[in-house]
Amino acid sequence: MLEKLMRKIDKNCNNVDKDFIRRAYMLADNAHEKQRRESGEPYIVHPIEVACILAEFGMDANTIAAGLLHDVVEDTDYSFEDIKKEFNEEVAILVDGVTKLGKIKYKTKEEQQADNVRKMLLAMTKDIRVILIKLADRLHNMRTLKYMPVEKQKEKAKETFDIYAPLAHRLGMFKMKWELEDLAFRYMNANEYYDLVRRIAEKRAEREEYISMIISDLNSRLENASIESDIEGRPKHFYSIYRKMVNKNKTIDQIFDLTAIRILVDTIKDCYAVLGIVHTVYKPIPGRFKDYIAMPKPNMYQSLHTTVIGPQGKTFEIQIRTFEMHKTAEYGIAAHWKYKEGSEGEEGDFDAKLSWLRDMLEWQKETSDAEEFMEGFKIDLFSDEVFVFTPKGVVINLPYEATPIDFAYRIHTDIGNRCIGAKVNGKMVTLDYKLKTGEIVEILTSTSPKGPSIDWLNVAKSNQAKSKIRAWFKKEKREENISKGKELLEKEAKRQGCNFGEIAKGEGFDKLLKRYNLNSIEDLFASIGMGMLIPSIIVNRLKEVNINYKNALENLQAKITEEDFSKDREKDKSDRDYGITVKGLTNVLVRFAKCCNPVPGDNIIGYITKGRGISVHRTDCKNIQSMDMNDREKFVEVEWGRNRVDGYISELQLKAEDRSGLLTDIMMIITESRMNLHAINAKSAKGNIATINIKLKINDIEQLKELMKKIKRTKGVIEVYRRKY
């Protein structure tokens, strides 16, 4: 296996010290000597395969050595200092960058995943080779996933879909992205995967014969035009075919372009010449031509794409690019890695291509909630893009459905803060206008700005813009928020019978600041003043570790019981708690707020009402968010308990293109999901758009999310969301 690695290095890499690689192999082999993989083979097989993948990328000696050593610090007795001493600091930093935060205890899996991703992002900004090693590690693990338990297979496949395949896409590494997606698809949707493989194989011979005919025809025409080229058929990957079938609601027989034809030439001039010949021979389909040479994707991808109608009326896709563009498309950032390229100008260009990474790291610093961080991270990776122009013709790429606010903040923070309006193609538009590819955008600014509006947070689509809007509010109103937050906390502490100054100290207080990603007590006051944190929850958590919490809770319970719950003591608890635990309290009447209908899995909070017990809301409920600061002292901490009732009411609303059979299709999905439908109604509005409201009984948030995914795939459905009043 070591010789196999050396052959790959000889073929793909330059100036790699093989003795250095052998030393790394010997240390890794010794460190993992007693370890075995799930397949039963020696553990060293995995690091060697990771190093082989890196050698295929043409990486340098330090990166390949780090690939061999990437699990040594995490899984053996070797430390960062040992690696640094045996090799060098660069190798040690690369190994540390891919080492998980395994020694920290986390309350939830989401928190652990979020912190590991944060660490990976930070390491990537310092050295992009960290993610290349991590992707190589994940690719080999996915190739050998069959030896893992089924539950672990699905978990790793989902993580690959959510994080690693999108990262490979953003880095332009399409060869790796496609393999990761197909492997993840195989384990996430095994039945669909193997059925698709079988059905494609059945018509392979017929398809290959058709493509050979097209290639032969194109070869002769390009030879006559004296254009040297390499033409090949590229089978579409299984997951991309499956996604097209689901998104367009088509069967395999209705998808003709299962194979794309790729034409590689020497120069950009030849690319456009070939395009002209292709469009002369075959009729192009309007709206299906894309020029990624003139306007490259942010991940450096360049190519001409066109879909044409060939013989027998069958459609097929043609991709035209230079050999250099093809190398970039296959290996992405690895093909233009700055440690391989020499000049300063290229390094600056390389850094510009990774600006999205720095933007992502910037906004995530402000996000303490693990679920919110992971959701934003996935949106940033997955989001489609639009390309718009400044009045001077500079191309700006933004997330799909971005607004002029996103554009303004992408240009400069100060432009965003002073924005008062926008023009698109010379015409005034509202700030919530959704920008489209090709439009020219001009931002109107004020010389005496008032700053952004808090409503812009709901209008902006990019995490970058939202981060800068929040930063403005934090800075501009910090003193006011600190004063307000301090007052609210002291008032809440007094209400609960303690002194805030006494509980806001010690190890418990330090842990609380760390939990919410805060650096000082002033940051805590400011967060309370902005309404980002709730005083009662902060005081409760501090009391748990700093004073006799039991006595305080008994006093609070007596007060609530006396004022609100005297009429309900005789009821059986199981009829009243709905699977909800109120922090530190028992025998408490609980009811779900109808404005947001929380279900297990939602983040929730309780609100003390007079005579009706505790009303449980989702934390993102509009009624909760809009409450006056004085009302926030009535919040109590609640959580989902182990006891659950038989089903929870939830309401969905969807918008779709009105068509015959739409309602029937939706009801079939609900029936097949084995959910109890309580009510469904639909109405048609202008523009032939139907709005459907659904009320049903579910068990938890995961079941609801799965249903929403299925409905979203239905033909004509535009959006699906939980209904709010």
Side-chain angles (χ1 to χ4, degrees):
M1 290 194 70
L2 181 60
E3 289 310 310
K4 172 188 169 184
L5 172 61
M6 293 304 173
R7 287 195 298 273
K8 287 187 179 291
I9 289 172
D10 286 337
K11 182 180 178 181
N12 302 299
C13 307
N14 297 318
N15 303 319
V16 170
D17 183 347
K18 290 185 180 179
D19 289 334
F20 188 76
I21 301 301
R22 285 191 178 93
R23 278 174 49 212
Y25 164 76
M26 294 299 291
L27 189 147
D29 191 32
N30 181 58
H32 295 299
E33 185 180 9
K34 296 179 181 178
Q35 296 176 346
R36 295 267 166 183
R37 285 175 60 78
E38 291 288 334
S39 61
E41 62 189 4
Y43 194 90
I44 189 64
V45 170
H46 172 62
I48 290 179
E49 289 292 353
V50 169
C52 284
I53 293 169
L54 292 168
E56 287 174 10
F57 291 164
M59 302 308 293
D60 65 311
N62 283 339
T63 311
I64 296 171
L68 285 165
L69 301 166
H70 76 276
D71 277 336
V72 165
V73 172
E74 187 173 328
D75 295 338
T76 75
D77 294 332
Y78 283 89
S79 66
F80 175 90
E81 292 300 324
D82 293 332
I83 303 298
K84 181 179 174 182
K85 184 179 177 182
E86 289 288 334
F87 298 93
N88 57 51
E89 187 174 14
E90 196 173 299
V91 172
I93 289 171
L94 289 172
V95 171
D96 182 64
V98 295
T99 300
K100 295 193 192 86
L101 303 169
K103 296 176 183 176
I104 301 173
K105 291 185 179 178
Y106 294 92
K107 288 192 172 182
T108 66
K109 203 150 195 167
E110 287 76 16
E111 281 186 18
Q112 184 177 20
Q113 188 184 56
D115 270 5
N116 281 324
V117 170
R118 278 191 177 102
K119 183 188 176 187
M120 186 172 68
L121 286 175
L122 190 59
M124 282 168 65
T125 58
K126 295 176 181 175
D127 195 325
I128 196 64
R129 292 175 295 176
V130 166
I131 193 56
L132 300 183
I133 298 169
K134 193 67 185 171
L135 286 170
D137 171 49
R138 176 50 61 112
L139 180 57
H140 183 251
N141 280 333
M142 291 300 294
R143 287 173 178 174
T144 56
L145 199 59
K146 64 182 178 181
Y147 299 106
M148 302 294 285
V150 174
E151 188 178 329
K152 200 74 174 173
Q153 289 176 355
K154 290 189 178 295
E155 180 187 318
K156 291 292 180 187
K158 185 177 188 307
E159 192 176 56
T160 299
F161 264 137
D162 288 349
I163 297 173
Y164 295 101
L167 266 173
H169 173 80
R170 287 303 293 258
L171 294 169
M173 303 171 72
F174 289 98
K175 187 176 182 182
M176 176 168 282
K177 175 208 171 190
W178 288 323
E179 187 175 355
L180 285 172
E181 284 183 341
D182 278 356
L183 288 167
F185 175 39
R186 174 181 168 188
Y187 292 102
M188 282 288 286
N189 305 84
N191 292 337
E192 290 90 336
Y193 174 82
Y194 287 110
D195 180 57
L196 188 61
V197 171
R198 177 185 59 78
R199 293 163 71 185
I200 288 175
E202 286 174 356
K203 295 191 176 183
R204 179 174 292 157
E206 176 189 331
R207 194 166 58 251
E208 287 178 352
E209 183 183 345
Y210 183 78
I211 290 299
S212 295
M213 178 182 69
I214 300 293
I215 290 175
S216 176
D217 182 34
L218 286 172
N219 262 323
S220 62
R221 291 177 185 276
L222 295 184
E223 282 177 14
N224 291 336
S226 300
I227 298 175
E228 291 188 15
S229 64
D230 185 353
I231 308 177
E232 60 182 8
R234 181 187 67 80
K236 286 283 184 80
H237 296 271
F238 295 121
Y239 181 65
S240 66
I241 295 170
Y242 173 74
R243 194 170 55 190
K244 184 176 283 189
M245 289 168 63
V246 171
N247 290 345
K248 297 189 176 181
N249 199 25
K250 289 185 175 182
T251 66
I252 189 78
D253 298 323
Q254 294 173 304
I255 298 176
F256 296 110
D257 54 338
L258 294 178
T259 305
I261 291 176
R262 181 183 294 138
I263 304 175
L264 304 181
V265 293
D266 291 322
T267 66
I268 293 176
K269 179 183 176 183
D270 287 344
C271 289
Y272 289 101
V274 170
L275 179 69
I277 292 170
V278 167
H279 282 182
T280 302
V281 179
Y282 305 113
K283 189 175 182 179
I285 296 178
R288 295 294 300 273
F289 167 66
K290 292 172 184 173
D291 187 345
Y292 294 121
I293 294 179
M295 288 201 303
K297 290 186 176 183
N299 58 17
M300 301 175 294
Y301 179 84
Q302 286 185 288
S303 188
L304 297 176
H305 289 197
T306 185
T307 302
V308 298
I309 301 173
Q312 303 165 29
K314 293 181 179 179
T315 63
F316 61 94
E317 183 184 62
I318 294 181
Q319 299 172 356
I320 308 165
R321 62 182 74 142
T322 66
F323 289 96
E324 190 62 33
M325 289 173 190
H326 181 58
K327 182 183 174 186
T328 300
E330 293 285 287
Y331 296 108
I333 211 80
H336 288 269
W337 167 62
K338 69 177 177 181
Y339 298 93
K340 290 170 64 181
E341 312 285 81
S343 72
E344 258 181 53
E346 285 174 345
E347 285 197 17
D349 188 46
F350 179 94
D351 287 339
K353 290 174 175 26
L354 291 178
S355 59
W356 62 270
L357 179 59
R358 285 187 293 278
D359 291 341
M360 196 182 292
L361 198 64
E362 183 181 327
W363 72 257
Q364 67 86 20
K365 288 176 184 176
E366 302 178 15
T367 309
S368 58
D369 182 80
E371 192 174 327
E372 182 186 341
F373 166 74
M374 287 309 299
E375 193 63 33
F377 176 72
K378 292 169 191 175
I379 288 170
D380 258 11
L381 288 181
F382 273 117
S383 62
D384 290 327
E385 293 174 308
V386 294
F387 298 87
V388 294
F389 296 91
T390 68
K392 292 184 178 180
V394 178
V395 179
I396 303 292
N397 62 292
L398 295 167
Y400 179 67
E401 292 191 340
T403 65
I405 292 171
D406 297 291
F407 179 88
Y409 279 104
R410 178 60 60 86
I411 299 299
H412 195 278
T413 303
D414 191 46
I415 299 293
N417 289 338
R418 293 193 294 117
C419 173
I420 56 171
K423 288 182 179 180
V424 172
N425 295 337
K427 295 180 180 178
M428 290 292 296
V429 296
T430 57
L431 290 179
D432 61 357
Y433 174 83
K434 293 175 182 176
L435 299 173
K436 301 175 189 65
T437 293
E439 292 180 328
I440 300 171
V441 186
E442 179 184 353
I443 298 299
L444 308 177
T445 57
S446 170
T447 52
S448 53
K450 296 180 180 178
S453 163
I454 195 70
D455 293 335
W456 287 9
L457 288 172
N458 297 321
V459 175
K461 293 295 180 184
S462 64
N463 285 313
Q464 180 203 26
K466 290 179 181 179
S467 172
K468 290 179 177 179
I469 294 166
R470 289 192 192 101
W472 186 89
F473 278 101
K474 281 184 179 180
K475 183 180 177 182
E476 293 298 313
K477 298 192 174 183
R478 182 172 172 80
E479 293 304 319
E480 180 185 333
N481 286 325
I482 287 175
S483 177
K484 186 190 295 183
K486 183 178 181 183
E487 181 184 339
L488 287 169
L489 273 173
E490 289 177 344
K491 187 177 179 181
E492 175 63 23
K494 186 177 180 182
R495 189 183 76 81
Q496 296 195 30
C498 61
N499 184 293
F500 181 73
E502 292 177 4
I503 60 175
K505 57 187 177 183
E507 186 181 348
F509 183 66
D510 293 338
K511 283 182 179 178
L512 182 133
L513 291 179
K514 190 174 181 181
R515 172 172 183 161
Y516 290 106
N517 205 20
L518 303 170
N519 296 317
S520 65
I521 192 168
E522 285 79 14
D523 289 346
L524 175 64
F525 289 151
S527 296
I528 296 286
M530 287 178 69
M532 295 171 68
L533 295 176
I534 297 168
S536 61
I537 291 177
I538 300 300
V539 172
N540 277 335
R541 285 187 174 151
L542 287 173
K543 284 168 69 178
E544 286 178 11
V545 291
N546 285 288
I547 66 172
N548 190 337
Y549 190 35
K550 184 179 177 183
N551 291 338
L553 283 173
E554 286 175 356
N555 292 336
L556 179 60
Q557 181 178 351
K559 181 180 177 184
I560 294 174
T561 304
E562 222 172 274
E563 291 179 1
D564 299 326
F565 310 126
S566 58
K567 297 178 183 179
D568 302 293
R569 281 197 173 277
E570 299 304 318
K571 287 190 177 181
D572 182 80
K573 184 178 181 295
S574 63
D575 290 336
R576 295 181 284 132
D577 65 7
Y578 296 98
I580 296 293
T581 301
V582 181
K583 193 87 171 185
L585 302 179
T586 58
N587 293 327
V588 175
L589 175 65
V590 170
R591 67 184 184 86
F592 288 123
K594 291 184 179 180
C595 52
C596 56
N597 285 320
V599 298
D602 283 330
N603 293 323
I604 52 176
I605 190 162
Y607 181 75
I608 301 171
T609 62
K610 284 194 174 183
R612 292 184 297 162
I614 289 178
S615 175
V616 179
H617 295 255
R618 284 158 47 190
T619 52
D620 63 353
C621 175
K622 287 184 178 179
N623 289 336
I624 291 292
Q625 299 291 338
S626 62
M627 277 188 182
D628 187 87
M629 285 296 175
N630 294 326
D631 287 331
R632 291 184 176 249
E633 64 184 28
K634 295 181 181 178
F635 287 128
V636 292
E637 195 169 353
V638 295
E639 59 188 27
W640 297 102
R642 292 183 181 178
N643 297 323
R644 301 279 171 86
V645 298
D646 185 20
Y648 297 78
I649 296 297
S650 187
E651 292 192 59
L652 296 179
Q653 187 168 79
L654 66 94
K655 293 187 185 299
E657 296 171 5
D658 202 359
R659 62 174 174 83
S660 176
L662 173 64
L663 204 56
T664 305
D665 289 348
I666 300 299
M667 291 179 71
M668 280 295 294
I669 291 171
I670 296 169
T671 303
E672 288 170 1
S673 300
R674 297 183 179 179
M675 295 184 189
N676 291 329
L677 181 65
H678 275 225
I680 185 167
N681 64 75
K683 61 180 180 180
S684 186
K686 290 181 180 178
N688 203 34
I689 299 297
T691 301
I692 301 176
N693 295 318
I694 307 165
K695 183 184 284 189
L696 39 75
K697 187 178 279 190
I698 64 167
N699 294 326
D700 55 38
I701 190 67
E702 292 305 319
Q703 190 182 26
L704 187 63
K705 285 180 179 177
E706 190 60 34
L707 176 65
M708 290 169 72
K709 283 182 186 176
K710 290 178 181 177
I711 293 175
K712 187 72 184 291
R713 295 174 189 149
T714 304
K715 180 182 178 182
V717 172
I718 300 166
E719 58 180 337
V720 186
Y721 46 87
R722 290 175 71 179
R723 193 175 181 194
K724 295 181 184 179
Y725 292 93

